[in-house]
Amino acid sequence: MPGPGRGPEPGGAPPTSALFTEAVTLTPVPAEHFDLAFTAVTQPCPWPKAYGGDLVAAAAAAAMRSVTGAKTLHSMHGYFLRPADIGAPVRYEVEVIRDGRGYSTRQVRGHQNGKPLYVCLANFAAGEPGGTFHAEFTEVVPDPEDLPGSREYLRGRSGGSMTEESRAYWSAGRSFDMRHVPGPLYLTVEGRRLPQQAVWVRPFDALRTVEGLTGPQRDLAALAYVCDYTILEPVLRVLGLAWADPGLVTASLDHAMWFHRPGPVDDWLLYAQEAVAADAGRGLGTGRFFTRDHRHLATVVQEGMIRPA
């Protein structure tokens, strides 16, 4: 059935992508530990802890603001150490580890309440001539226009631990429209327990300017932000778990991301994902972002804690 596009819910305000741009809006502050420091405020969500993508994207933004010249972010490797309070500032301290002619390296540590929450290494490259190759996504999936968005899918549905707050957040509170193949895991696992899925993602509206970031830098931060929402879903799918299962607890543990080439983020991207392993209360998922014309923009690997009731 056709999706709702970017229009408003009848009688309600249209969803926007402002939550993302607010999450990566940084305020410079005096450094206490390293070379540069910024603060960013974690954004609202209906869970006891802040969304992990807030930390990844804000750390990416802090690292990018510390690099001058034409070098671009090409990889990040990070660990989630503690949950972050919602609606509270996180201090991101940036250490300038190396600035070479072709590459630069930064360490970023996020602190809140005097304790480290998130730590990552970020690497930047100037780029040089070389061969070009990218993996292909060969599966045939429906176009995003032929799939329901989260708001349309959840309309009239209920069950499990889903509340009106979580319904509203899944429907319109994440800055990005998300359309699943096969169906989403909000309430049930539909069909077979396959270790793969694909998610079409697109901002609800045009991404706003972020002070201190260029347009391409903001787009890299957008990929870092949105990737965390669904990267563990193939693991949940193969285990037969849905987000609203009573007692289910998940948490991101570590995260790696490689940015291969620039591309438009305001248009639909296909986020192809696969479960790699699940055991001992942990699961590993991989994902690749493709444009509609099949250009491979970025690759994600993440391990998370998965604790069923």
Side-chain angles (χ1 to χ4, degrees), residues 127-166:
E128 56 190 275
T132 297
F133 169 79
H134 64 85
E136 295 283 349
F137 183 76
T138 58
E139 299 294 325
V140 177
V141 299
D143 291 334
E145 293 82 3
D146 297 325
L147 297 168
S150 298
R151 174 178 284 182
E152 184 175 359
Y153 178 85
L154 289 169
R155 187 181 297 126
R157 298 175 186 257
S158 62
S161 63
M162 185 175 72
T163 63
E164 286 306 309
E165 290 77 14
S166 59

Short mmCIF file of all heavy atoms in Angstrom, two decimals, residues 127-166:
data_model
loop_
_atom_site.label_atom_id
_atom_site.label_comp_id
_atom_site.label_asym_id
_atom_site.label_seq_id
_atom_site.Cartn_x
_atom_site.Cartn_y
_atom_site.Cartn_z
N GLY A 127 42.38 12.10 0.62
CA GLY A 127 41.99 11.48 -0.64
C GLY A 127 43.08 11.62 -1.68
O GLY A 127 43.87 12.56 -1.66
N GLU A 128 43.16 10.65 -2.57
CA GLU A 128 44.16 10.64 -3.62
C GLU A 128 43.67 9.75 -4.75
O GLU A 128 42.75 8.95 -4.58
CB GLU A 128 45.49 10.13 -3.08
CG GLU A 128 45.42 8.76 -2.42
CD GLU A 128 46.70 8.42 -1.69
OE1 GLU A 128 47.62 7.91 -2.36
OE2 GLU A 128 46.77 8.66 -0.48
N PRO A 129 44.27 9.87 -5.93
CA PRO A 129 43.83 9.04 -7.05
C PRO A 129 44.01 7.56 -6.76
O PRO A 129 44.97 7.15 -6.09
CB PRO A 129 44.73 9.49 -8.20
CG PRO A 129 45.20 10.86 -7.81
CD PRO A 129 45.31 10.83 -6.32
N GLY A 130 43.08 6.74 -7.23
CA GLY A 130 43.17 5.30 -7.02
C GLY A 130 42.00 4.63 -7.72
O GLY A 130 41.12 5.27 -8.29
N GLY A 131 41.99 3.30 -7.66
CA GLY A 131 40.91 2.55 -8.28
C GLY A 131 39.61 2.74 -7.52
O GLY A 131 39.58 3.14 -6.36
N THR A 132 38.50 2.44 -8.20
CA THR A 132 37.18 2.59 -7.62
C THR A 132 36.43 1.28 -7.72
O THR A 132 36.42 0.62 -8.76
CB THR A 132 36.36 3.68 -8.35
OG1 THR A 132 37.01 4.94 -8.18
CG2 THR A 132 34.95 3.77 -7.80
N PHE A 133 35.82 0.89 -6.61
CA PHE A 133 34.98 -0.31 -6.55
C PHE A 133 33.98 -0.13 -5.43
O PHE A 133 34.28 0.50 -4.42
CB PHE A 133 35.82 -1.57 -6.27
CG PHE A 133 34.99 -2.79 -5.95
CD1 PHE A 133 34.38 -3.51 -6.95
CD2 PHE A 133 34.79 -3.18 -4.62
CE1 PHE A 133 33.59 -4.61 -6.65
CE2 PHE A 133 34.00 -4.28 -4.31
CZ PHE A 133 33.40 -5.01 -5.33
N HIS A 134 32.79 -0.66 -5.61
CA HIS A 134 31.87 -0.72 -4.48
C HIS A 134 30.99 -1.95 -4.63
O HIS A 134 30.66 -2.39 -5.73
CB HIS A 134 31.03 0.55 -4.35
CG HIS A 134 30.10 0.80 -5.50
ND1 HIS A 134 28.85 0.25 -5.58
CD2 HIS A 134 30.26 1.56 -6.60
CE1 HIS A 134 28.26 0.67 -6.69
NE2 HIS A 134 29.09 1.46 -7.33
N ALA A 135 30.63 -2.52 -3.46
CA ALA A 135 29.77 -3.69 -3.45
C ALA A 135 28.41 -3.35 -4.01
O ALA A 135 27.93 -2.22 -3.90
CB ALA A 135 29.65 -4.23 -2.02
N GLU A 136 27.77 -4.34 -4.60
CA GLU A 136 26.44 -4.15 -5.16
C GLU A 136 25.39 -4.77 -4.24
O GLU A 136 25.65 -5.79 -3.58
CB GLU A 136 26.34 -4.82 -6.54
CG GLU A 136 27.23 -4.19 -7.60
CD GLU A 136 26.67 -2.88 -8.13
OE1 GLU A 136 25.49 -2.58 -7.84
OE2 GLU A 136 27.40 -2.18 -8.84
N PHE A 137 24.23 -4.16 -4.18
CA PHE A 137 23.09 -4.77 -3.51
C PHE A 137 22.20 -5.34 -4.60
O PHE A 137 21.61 -4.61 -5.39
CB PHE A 137 22.32 -3.74 -2.67
CG PHE A 137 21.18 -4.34 -1.91
CD1 PHE A 137 21.41 -5.10 -0.77
CD2 PHE A 137 19.87 -4.16 -2.33
CE1 PHE A 137 20.36 -5.65 -0.06
CE2 PHE A 137 18.80 -4.71 -1.63
CZ PHE A 137 19.06 -5.47 -0.49
N THR A 138 22.12 -6.67 -4.67
CA THR A 138 21.49 -7.32 -5.81
C THR A 138 20.07 -7.80 -5.52
O THR A 138 19.37 -8.22 -6.44
CB THR A 138 22.33 -8.51 -6.28
OG1 THR A 138 22.49 -9.43 -5.19
CG2 THR A 138 23.71 -8.05 -6.74
N GLU A 139 19.63 -7.75 -4.26
CA GLU A 139 18.28 -8.19 -3.95
C GLU A 139 17.25 -7.22 -4.54
O GLU A 139 17.50 -6.01 -4.66
CB GLU A 139 18.07 -8.28 -2.44
CG GLU A 139 19.00 -9.26 -1.74
CD GLU A 139 18.74 -10.70 -2.14
OE1 GLU A 139 17.55 -11.03 -2.37
OE2 GLU A 139 19.70 -11.47 -2.24
N VAL A 140 16.10 -7.75 -4.89
CA VAL A 140 15.00 -6.92 -5.38
C VAL A 140 14.09 -6.60 -4.20
O VAL A 140 13.57 -7.50 -3.53
CB VAL A 140 14.22 -7.64 -6.49
CG1 VAL A 140 13.03 -6.79 -6.93
CG2 VAL A 140 15.13 -7.96 -7.66
N VAL A 141 13.93 -5.32 -3.90
CA VAL A 141 13.07 -4.90 -2.80
C VAL A 141 12.06 -3.89 -3.32
O VAL A 141 12.31 -3.20 -4.33
CB VAL A 141 13.89 -4.27 -1.65
CG1 VAL A 141 14.87 -5.28 -1.07
CG2 VAL A 141 14.62 -3.02 -2.10
N PRO A 142 10.91 -3.78 -2.68
CA PRO A 142 9.92 -2.79 -3.11
C PRO A 142 10.47 -1.37 -2.99
O PRO A 142 11.33 -1.09 -2.15
CB PRO A 142 8.75 -3.01 -2.15
CG PRO A 142 8.95 -4.38 -1.59
CD PRO A 142 10.43 -4.61 -1.56
N ASP A 143 9.99 -0.47 -3.82
CA ASP A 143 10.34 0.93 -3.70
C ASP A 143 9.76 1.50 -2.40
O ASP A 143 8.71 1.03 -1.93
CB ASP A 143 9.79 1.72 -4.89
CG ASP A 143 10.50 1.38 -6.19
OD1 ASP A 143 11.68 0.96 -6.12
OD2 ASP A 143 9.87 1.52 -7.26
N PRO A 144 10.39 2.51 -1.83
CA PRO A 144 9.87 3.06 -0.58
C PRO A 144 8.46 3.62 -0.71
O PRO A 144 7.68 3.58 0.24
CB PRO A 144 10.88 4.15 -0.22
CG PRO A 144 11.60 4.47 -1.50
CD PRO A 144 11.64 3.19 -2.26
N GLU A 145 8.12 4.13 -1.90
CA GLU A 145 6.78 4.68 -2.10
C GLU A 145 5.69 3.61 -2.00
O GLU A 145 4.51 3.93 -1.82
CB GLU A 145 6.69 5.38 -3.46
CG GLU A 145 7.56 6.63 -3.57
CD GLU A 145 9.02 6.35 -3.90
OE1 GLU A 145 9.38 5.17 -4.11
OE2 GLU A 145 9.79 7.32 -3.97
N ASP A 146 6.07 2.34 -2.14
CA ASP A 146 5.11 1.25 -2.08
C ASP A 146 5.04 0.60 -0.70
O ASP A 146 4.37 -0.43 -0.53
CB ASP A 146 5.48 0.17 -3.11
CG ASP A 146 5.41 0.69 -4.54
OD1 ASP A 146 4.52 1.53 -4.80
OD2 ASP A 146 6.23 0.27 -5.37
N LEU A 147 5.72 1.18 0.29
CA LEU A 147 5.77 0.63 1.64
C LEU A 147 5.18 1.63 2.63
O LEU A 147 5.30 2.84 2.45
CB LEU A 147 7.21 0.31 2.04
CG LEU A 147 7.93 -0.74 1.22
CD1 LEU A 147 9.43 -0.72 1.54
CD2 LEU A 147 7.36 -2.13 1.49
N PRO A 148 4.59 1.13 3.72
CA PRO A 148 4.07 2.05 4.73
C PRO A 148 5.20 2.60 5.59
O PRO A 148 6.15 1.90 5.93
CB PRO A 148 3.14 1.16 5.56
CG PRO A 148 3.73 -0.21 5.43
CD PRO A 148 4.29 -0.28 4.03
N GLY A 149 5.11 3.88 5.92
CA GLY A 149 5.99 4.44 6.93
C GLY A 149 5.59 3.95 8.31
O GLY A 149 4.54 3.31 8.49
N SER A 150 6.41 4.24 9.31
CA SER A 150 6.14 3.76 10.66
C SER A 150 4.80 4.26 11.18
O SER A 150 4.04 3.53 11.83
CB SER A 150 7.26 4.19 11.60
OG SER A 150 8.49 3.63 11.19
N ARG A 151 4.49 5.54 10.90
CA ARG A 151 3.22 6.10 11.38
C ARG A 151 2.04 5.34 10.80
O ARG A 151 1.09 4.99 11.53
CB ARG A 151 3.15 7.58 11.04
CG ARG A 151 1.81 8.22 11.37
CD ARG A 151 1.80 9.71 11.05
NE ARG A 151 2.53 10.46 12.08
CZ ARG A 151 2.66 11.78 12.07
NH1 ARG A 151 2.14 12.49 11.08
NH2 ARG A 151 3.31 12.39 13.03
N GLU A 152 2.08 5.08 9.51
CA GLU A 152 0.97 4.37 8.88
C GLU A 152 0.90 2.93 9.37
O GLU A 152 -0.18 2.39 9.63
CB GLU A 152 1.11 4.41 7.36
CG GLU A 152 -0.07 3.76 6.65
CD GLU A 152 0.02 3.91 5.14
OE1 GLU A 152 0.98 4.53 4.66
OE2 GLU A 152 -0.89 3.41 4.47
N TYR A 153 2.04 2.28 9.52
CA TYR A 153 2.07 0.89 9.97
C TYR A 153 1.47 0.75 11.37
O TYR A 153 0.72 -0.19 11.65
CB TYR A 153 3.50 0.36 9.96
CG TYR A 153 3.63 -1.05 10.46
CD1 TYR A 153 3.43 -2.13 9.61
CD2 TYR A 153 3.93 -1.31 11.80
CE1 TYR A 153 3.53 -3.44 10.08
CE2 TYR A 153 4.04 -2.60 12.28
CZ TYR A 153 3.83 -3.66 11.41
OH TYR A 153 3.92 -4.95 11.89
N LEU A 154 1.79 1.69 12.26
CA LEU A 154 1.37 1.57 13.66
C LEU A 154 -0.03 2.08 13.91
O LEU A 154 -0.60 1.82 14.98
CB LEU A 154 2.35 2.33 14.56
CG LEU A 154 3.73 1.69 14.71
CD1 LEU A 154 4.70 2.65 15.39
CD2 LEU A 154 3.64 0.38 15.49
N ARG A 155 -0.60 2.80 12.97
CA ARG A 155 -1.94 3.35 13.18
C ARG A 155 -2.93 2.21 13.43
O ARG A 155 -3.07 1.28 12.63
CB ARG A 155 -2.37 4.16 11.97
CG ARG A 155 -3.69 4.91 12.17
CD ARG A 155 -4.09 5.69 10.92
NE ARG A 155 -3.12 6.71 10.62
CZ ARG A 155 -2.52 6.85 9.44
NH1 ARG A 155 -2.78 5.98 8.47
NH2 ARG A 155 -1.67 7.84 9.24
N GLY A 156 -3.60 2.24 14.58
CA GLY A 156 -4.60 1.24 14.91
C GLY A 156 -4.03 -0.04 15.51
O GLY A 156 -4.80 -0.94 15.86
N ARG A 157 -2.72 -0.13 15.65
CA ARG A 157 -2.10 -1.33 16.22
C ARG A 157 -1.72 -1.07 17.67
O ARG A 157 -1.41 0.05 18.05
CB ARG A 157 -0.86 -1.75 15.43
CG ARG A 157 -1.12 -2.14 13.98
CD ARG A 157 0.20 -2.42 13.28
NE ARG A 157 0.03 -2.66 11.86
CZ ARG A 157 0.06 -3.85 11.28
NH1 ARG A 157 0.24 -4.94 12.01
NH2 ARG A 157 -0.10 -3.97 9.97
N SER A 158 -1.68 -2.14 18.46
CA SER A 158 -1.24 -2.03 19.85
C SER A 158 -0.69 -3.38 20.27
O SER A 158 -0.84 -4.38 19.57
CB SER A 158 -2.40 -1.62 20.75
OG SER A 158 -3.44 -2.59 20.71
N GLY A 159 -0.07 -3.39 21.45
CA GLY A 159 0.42 -4.67 21.97
C GLY A 159 1.73 -4.54 22.71
O GLY A 159 2.44 -3.54 22.60
N GLY A 160 2.02 -5.56 23.50
CA GLY A 160 3.28 -5.62 24.22
C GLY A 160 3.49 -4.43 25.12
O GLY A 160 2.56 -3.92 25.76
N SER A 161 4.71 -3.95 25.14
CA SER A 161 5.07 -2.83 26.01
C SER A 161 4.93 -1.48 25.32
O SER A 161 5.33 -0.46 25.88
CB SER A 161 6.51 -3.00 26.51
OG SER A 161 7.42 -2.97 25.42
N MET A 162 4.37 -1.46 24.10
CA MET A 162 4.25 -0.19 23.39
C MET A 162 3.30 0.75 24.13
O MET A 162 2.21 0.35 24.55
CB MET A 162 3.76 -0.39 21.96
CG MET A 162 3.74 0.92 21.16
SD MET A 162 3.30 0.70 19.42
CE MET A 162 1.55 0.34 19.54
N THR A 163 3.73 2.00 24.31
CA THR A 163 2.91 3.04 24.92
C THR A 163 2.58 4.08 23.86
O THR A 163 3.12 4.05 22.74
CB THR A 163 3.67 3.71 26.07
OG1 THR A 163 4.84 4.36 25.53
CG2 THR A 163 4.10 2.68 27.12
N GLU A 164 1.72 5.03 24.20
CA GLU A 164 1.44 6.11 23.27
C GLU A 164 2.70 6.94 22.99
O GLU A 164 2.90 7.44 21.88
CB GLU A 164 0.32 7.00 23.80
CG GLU A 164 -1.06 6.37 23.70
CD GLU A 164 -1.38 5.90 22.29
OE1 GLU A 164 -1.23 6.70 21.34
OE2 GLU A 164 -1.78 4.74 22.13
N GLU A 165 3.57 7.05 24.01
CA GLU A 165 4.82 7.78 23.81
C GLU A 165 5.75 7.06 22.84
O GLU A 165 6.34 7.69 21.95
CB GLU A 165 5.52 7.99 25.16
CG GLU A 165 4.84 8.96 26.09
CD GLU A 165 3.62 8.37 26.78
OE1 GLU A 165 3.44 7.13 26.75
OE2 GLU A 165 2.82 9.14 27.34
N SER A 166 5.89 5.74 22.98
CA SER A 166 6.76 5.01 22.06
C SER A 166 6.15 4.95 20.67
O SER A 166 6.87 5.01 19.66
CB SER A 166 7.06 3.61 22.59
OG SER A 166 5.89 2.85 22.78
#
